[in-house]
Amino acid sequence: MPERKYLIGGNWKCNGTVASAKELIKVFNEAGTIPENVEVAIAAPFIHIGLVLEELRKDIATSAQNCAASPKTGAFTGEICASQLVDMGVTWVIIGHSERREGFDMAGEDSELVAKKVKTALDAGLKVMFAIGEKKEEREAGITMKVCAEQMAPAAKLLSEEDWANVAIAYEPVWAIGTGLTATPEMAQETHKSIRDWVSENVSPAVAEAVRIQYGGSMKGANAKDLLAQPDIDGGLIGGASLKADFFNVINGAP
Ligand code: PGA
């Protein structure tokens, strides 16, 4: 069984100012050592990525929260290309976050577009936190795994087996994001296991064994330990708690 290093991603979303980002970077820089079995990445807003690359400790990688679907640079006002992120020194990108799938002041991203972005990002040399997850009514209707499978299927079609080495799946039940409601460790474990089984059947058993599956949704210092103790939970994608010193309690919650 391959060792799966824990992956803890901090998702700052559309939060902060230059001053608050600098302050938070200072807190993280002084937060002590990161356990050897944990890999950490911070997904900053595009405008703060330069700052993070410059000032954040080098044992925390930098991530973007989105990139363009097309690999082409050029006359695409407002877009950021995966290759431009790589050029800047960015390592990771979050693709398929539910907030982007659902759309806020924009048209939402469907699973076909998400898959295309994942592929474009990988081809450019980024690693991808590929986010999936069901809504409250979908869990209540008992179709959690059907929803996750539908979200993964277009990516499974586009990605080669080698591509998957640079993908982590972030399972984020939408009803748990930013709500303070967390899936119980047992509930999360059950879905993580189903996701791994799906990958085994639809990609390959080797990829299923190696791929890291992060849990996301109101994860914080107080619940990280119990979640990370589950056999199929290989890390977290943390929103609210990544804007505070508590992020390091999540990191230190890894077994
Ligand atoms: P949350 O966000 O930790 O604030 O629930 C997680 C996420 O959306 O990635």
Side-chain angles (χ1 to χ4, degrees):
M1 210 162 107
E3 263 303 285
R4 293 190 297 263
K5 198 169 178 170
Y6 290 95
L7 174 62
I8 305 292
N11 180 7
W12 285 356
K13 306 191 180 182
C14 181
N15 285 296
T17 59
V18 171
S20 72
K22 275 182 182 247
E23 238 170 80
L24 192 53
I25 288 169
K26 188 162 178 283
V27 170
F28 289 178
N29 286 350
E30 291 167 359
T33 47
I34 292 172
E36 257 177 45
N37 62 341
V38 183
E39 185 180 350
V40 184
I42 285 291
F46 285 131
I47 49 166
H48 298 151
I49 283 179
L51 180 68
V52 168
L53 281 167
E54 227 163 84
E55 295 192 6
L56 185 63
R57 54 196 289 170
K58 298 301 167 239
D59 54 358
I60 298 184
T62 304
S63 174
Q65 300 171 13
N66 181 35
C67 70
S70 166
K72 276 194 265 171
T73 55
F76 309 111
T77 303
E79 281 290 32
I80 307 272
C81 242
S83 60
Q84 293 177 301
L85 294 169
V86 171
D87 173 61
M88 211 183 168
V90 172
T91 309
W92 287 91
V93 63
I94 299 171
I95 300 288
H97 193 282
S98 63
E99 286 152 16
R100 297 201 60 83
R101 287 180 185 269
E102 278 165 58
F104 21 96
D105 59 352
M106 53 153 200
E109 299 180 359
D110 64 23
S111 296
E112 300 286 339
L113 178 65
V114 166
K116 210 170 154 205
K117 287 189 174 192
V118 171
K119 182 63 178 157
T120 298
L122 291 168
D123 286 349
L126 289 170
K127 298 180 186 185
V128 177
M129 290 181 256
F130 170 36
I132 60 169
E134 84 288 0
K135 295 182 198 155
K136 185 168 180 275
E137 57 274 22
E138 293 165 338
R139 175 158 287 266
E140 284 167 0
I143 56 168
T144 294
M145 199 45 222
K146 181 173 174 280
V147 170
C148 292
E150 282 168 5
Q151 290 172 338
M152 290 188 286
K157 228 185 260 173
L158 273 188
L159 269 50
S160 69
E161 260 204 69
E162 297 76 62
D163 282 336
W164 283 94
N166 291 315
V167 176
I169 298 169
Y171 167 63
E172 302 201 291
V174 178
W175 48 270
I177 294 177
T179 57
L181 296 172
T182 319
T184 63
E186 296 71 28
M187 203 191 261
Q189 165 58 26
E190 189 191 12
T191 310
H192 280 230
K193 171 81 170 65
S194 304
I195 291 168
R196 202 178 298 287
D197 289 345
W198 189 92
V199 173
S200 180
E201 278 161 38
N202 294 276
V203 183
S204 79
V207 168
E209 202 50 56
V211 74
R212 291 177 290 182
I213 307 177
Q214 302 160 276
Y215 168 80
S218 300
M219 193 166 174
K220 50 183 187 262
N223 58 30
K225 213 167 167 222
D226 290 343
L227 285 160
L228 295 172
Q230 300 296 319
D232 289 292
I233 301 185
D234 310 308
L237 187 52
I238 292 92
S242 74
L243 294 163
K244 305 180 219 165
D246 190 40
F247 185 56
F248 264 73
N249 296 326
V250 177
I251 293 171
N252 290 317

